[in-house]
Amino acid sequence: MKKIYLLFLILPSILIFQSCNNTSSNAKATKNDLNQDANIERKVDSVLALMNLNEKIGQMVQYAASWDVTGPASSEGNKFKEEKLKKGEVGSMLNVTSVKAVREAQKLVMDNSRLKIPLIFGYDVIHGYETIFPIPLGESASWDLEIIRKSAEVAAIETSAAGVQWTFAPMVDVSRDARWGRIMEGAGEDPYLSSKIGVARINGFQGDDLSKNNTIAACAKHFAGYGFGEAGRDYNTVNIGEHELHNAVLPPFKAAAEAGVATFMNSFNEIDGIPATASKKLQRDLLKGEWAWNGFVVSDWGSIAEMIAHGYAKDKKHAAELALNAGSDMDMESYAYEAELEKLLEENKVKLSDIDDAVKRILRVKFQLGLFDDPYKYCDEEREKNEIYTKEHLEIARDVAKKSIVLLKNDTVKTKKSALLPLSKSVKSIAVIGPLADDKDTPLGNWRGKGKYNSAVSLLEGVKAAAGDDTKIYYEKGIELTSKTVAPGENQFLHLMEFNTTDRSGISAAVNAAKKADIVLLAIGENAFQTGEGRSQTKIGFAGLQQELLEAVYAVNKNVVIVLMNGRPMDITWAAENVPTILECWHLGSQSGFAIADVLFGDYNPSGKLPVSFPYNVGQEPLYYNQKSTGRPMSTQVTYSGYNDAPKVALYPFGHGLSYTNFSYGNVSLDKAEMAKDGEIQVSVNVTNNGTRDGEEVVQLYIRDLVGSLTRPIKELKGFEKIMLKAGESKVINFTIDTETLQFYTANNKWEVEPGDFNVWIGGSSTTKNMAEFVVN
Ligand code: BGC
């Protein structure tokens, strides 16, 4: 069924060759790329020339399939959508998955519409399609850009094999607030790390050629400021200064645009009184203007119409006007563009040139994907059968999962004269306890795509598979975490969680199991649906009866390893003060239990580092290492900037993570002590593995600009390298400090390097004291 739809050939006379000023947002585009881009521009223009106004507006409309809603469900029925599809008045659909469903929808357009402009199909593939990878926050803890790229590549293979060619990922929202449920979806609190990881994910999804049938278009979201909602409340108001916006929020978006991400999604929130969806400054001036990015912007779900509730638009018509004028190209589920743009045009409230620009952007991506050559190119039943949830993909998921685990604490236990981890395979007995210990669903996390209910490998299964034959394993759940309000497997995305706070009947059995065992593995943390969209919380400790279970078990056996499964930084202060070992295991995806066992038994030496700070308690939020000094930085006296009842620093800081071996750092050495504003300095450090095991370390470089035209953060990550050192081995690691490292969005509203004194640190976490100084002239 491979038909060629070379629409642009039918009217050669109206082919308008238009060489494009901003053909490629990727600065490194080759001559071939540019030719290809020019070719696409020509085709885009030729299609545009054929279109009437309804068809143009139609391209700017995206409908959801009604069987998998992720927002307030629309009242429009399927029939209405079908008619619009047949008329060629829909540009895109979301949540249509499977070759059969995609083919059906595409066919409605191809068989009935005048111009046969193919639909583009989008879906939230956030951490895997059916083979589920760690939640993005967890995966970010690997600081391993290659495996992060690889996991997105696998997700793209599976997504495209199911007919879909566009994911609404990566979310590149920097977030500093553990209360925000969607912190699980990003790369944490640091703009530099978020930029690198965002680009790795985009490269994984899009590959080097979008037109291949196993790569998909990515989407940088949510533009912008969504991670900065007041009080960590989802969709909430954002108040952020212009400079902080540029320095802390926008860098990952700029990096995404430069990496050639095909699409952007705008955002639900307002910033300083203007909803992001209506922000001309962000979308038209910055993204499409200054950054010269040529993809298209899709609204967030209903975010155009939500401007009415914001009190910014008086009705849908007004909302459509504001959104289009600001540069929102595609309307996801607001039904505002299709209803209002024509009238707005007649009344001269919007410009035809802006509609044309939006349509061209959408067509461009469709051409880049090759949809015009073959609208069914992603509809291959063989691929769908053979390329989803394969053995190979599961192996990669296990690899990514084990590299995402962070060893937070592993103290020497007096009675054993050693740390509890790694476990010996000949350990006599292990008690595997906790509500998440044999949970096969929670490890799949919140945005689990088509991950099947209960399909993850549980901790218990992983431990059983890894332990020696002679090891006795006792399993006790102890408590239920939640009180069931939904049937197992029912889509829990929209259901409120309820926790078990009364049923303690299983605790005594758990205590008995703990008494009998050499070691306790206690799996506690958060249910999959405690984090994700709409899952903000004011409490970030152990919900339900988990703390009670922890204390009861610890009272009878001190050899407790907490296996923490969660989607946000939690308040684990009691555990950190009492329990010897804590292993941060996030929601690790399909292979969770195997990956955790790899680390527990030392088959893999943990190498993850936190991409977010863990607070002592929720009152410290938002908490982030790259904070400002304030005029009163010390916290030991009353009238300084701290708290009277808690430290002001993190319990476990950004960049922290232990290994089964020890690394030491030599002094930071510079090739010169001064540099010109546009010059560079080479900085290096000798890192040694002092232990008896091989291991990986994330070598982190931080700087501080001591005095600026604006106050500067007390430390900023500006480089990192993940290295493998054999036991006893040393390596010199080099970094270059240059304009890119030192520039920031200054008081002049420009990215500049300001002369002055700088500090540079290199070490194994953001608290490193290994520092040198240099001067920029
Ligand atoms: C979310 C987006 C998502 C969209 C489509 C919205 O509620 O904010 O991130 O891509 O739904 O599912």
Side-chain angles (χ1 to χ4, degrees), residues 70 94 124 168 182 221-222 265 268 300-301 332 533:
T70 59
L94 79 149
D124 290 284
F168 305 122
R182 292 191 89 168
K221 72 187 189 186
H222 306 85
M265 183 184 290
F268 291 125
D300 204 344
W301 181 294
M332 180 195 285
E533 186 172 350

Side-chain angles (χ1 to χ4, degrees), residues 90-394:
V90 182
S92 172
M93 293 201 72
L94 79 149
N95 295 343
V96 179
T97 53
S98 86
V99 165
K100 185 169 173 280
V102 167
R103 193 191 290 282
E104 259 170 35
Q106 193 74 287
K107 227 171 154 315
L108 288 173
V109 176
M110 290 300 134
D111 292 356
N112 302 289
S113 69
R114 189 176 77 94
L115 292 179
K116 308 187 191 314
I117 298 175
L119 295 165
I120 175 173
F121 293 87
Y123 186 55
D124 290 284
V125 182
I126 308 297
H127 51 110
Y129 182 79
E130 187 175 334
T131 302
I132 303 303
F133 287 84
I135 55 166
L137 185 66
E139 198 179 74
S140 302
S142 71
W143 296 54
D144 185 330
L145 300 177
E146 176 47 26
I147 60 152
I148 291 172
R149 188 202 61 76
K150 188 82 194 160
S151 99
E153 181 183 280
V154 169
I157 292 170
E158 295 198 357
T159 305
S160 58
V164 176
Q165 57 292 128
W166 179 21
T167 176
F168 305 122
M171 184 186 99
V172 295
D173 296 313
V174 168
S175 178
R176 301 163 164 177
D177 203 321
R179 292 170 295 183
W180 191 46
R182 292 191 89 168
I183 199 169
M184 57 77 74
E185 221 185 306
E189 73 194 33
D190 183 75
Y192 179 86
L193 184 61
S194 297
S195 303
K196 296 286 172 201
I197 289 177
V199 169
R201 290 191 170 128
I202 291 162
N203 289 339
F205 288 131
Q206 298 195 166
D208 53 10
D209 182 358
L210 255 194
S211 74
K212 286 188 183 153
N213 72 349
N214 60 4
T215 58
I216 60 176
C219 180
K221 72 187 189 186
H222 306 85
F223 195 56
Y226 187 41
F228 274 58
E230 278 179 2
R233 215 171 79 205
D234 212 353
Y235 319 114
N236 203 12
T237 309
V238 173
N239 277 311
I240 182 170
E242 182 68 12
H243 294 98
E244 190 68 349
L245 180 70
H246 279 271
N247 286 312
V249 171
L250 296 179
F253 288 102
K254 183 152 191 270
E258 281 169 2
V261 70
T263 68
F264 263 56
M265 183 184 290
N266 61 30
S267 185
F268 291 125
N269 58 280
E270 63 156 85
I271 308 183
D272 197 17
I274 301 178
T277 305
S279 176
K280 175 171 172 295
K281 191 181 82 180
L282 282 175
Q283 296 169 106
R284 233 180 245 300
D285 302 346
L286 189 68
L287 175 62
K288 297 176 176 178
E290 213 178 293
W291 296 352
W293 174 78
N294 68 6
F296 72 87
V297 181
V298 63
S299 79
D300 204 344
W301 181 294
S303 71
I304 297 178
E306 284 181 17
M307 292 198 286
I308 303 168
H310 272 288
Y312 194 71
K314 58 178 184 296
D315 51 27
K316 231 183 216 188
K317 186 173 169 196
H318 189 202
E321 174 190 341
L322 291 163
L324 179 66
N325 288 338
S328 299
D329 301 312
M330 186 180 274
D331 173 355
M332 180 195 285
E333 280 288 306
S334 280
Y335 304 89
Y337 281 1
E338 64 186 60
E340 311 294 350
L341 284 186
E342 191 175 351
K343 277 178 268 164
L344 288 165
L345 192 61
E346 278 162 20
E347 293 166 20
N348 286 327
K349 291 199 169 131
V350 299
K351 294 192 286 220
L352 183 60
S353 58
D354 284 344
I355 292 180
D356 283 352
D357 178 63
V359 174
K360 280 173 68 169
R361 288 170 178 276
I362 294 162
L363 296 178
R364 185 177 295 134
V365 172
K366 292 182 176 182
F367 271 111
Q368 287 166 347
L369 285 164
L371 285 166
F372 277 94
D373 295 333
D374 179 3
Y376 303 105
K377 67 180 277 195
Y378 301 88
C379 294
D380 179 342
E381 280 82 0
E382 277 304 299
R383 281 196 63 210
E384 188 173 42
K385 218 179 338 152
N386 300 325
E387 295 184 23
I388 297 178
Y389 204 65
T390 64
K391 197 164 161 274
E392 189 200 341
H393 292 175
L394 287 169

Side-chain angles (χ1 to χ4, degrees), residues 126-128 131-142 147 151 184 201 396-405 443-447 585-592 595:
I126 308 297
H127 51 110
T131 302
I132 303 303
F133 287 84
I135 55 166
L137 185 66
E139 198 179 74
S140 302
S142 71
I147 60 152
S151 99
M184 57 77 74
R201 290 191 170 128
I396 297 169
R398 177 170 178 167
D399 190 47
V400 179
K402 72 186 186 197
K403 290 177 174 160
S404 304
I405 294 171
L444 298 177
N446 178 300
W447 280 102
C585 296
W586 316 105
H587 295 144
L588 284 180
S590 303
Q591 297 285 283
S592 175

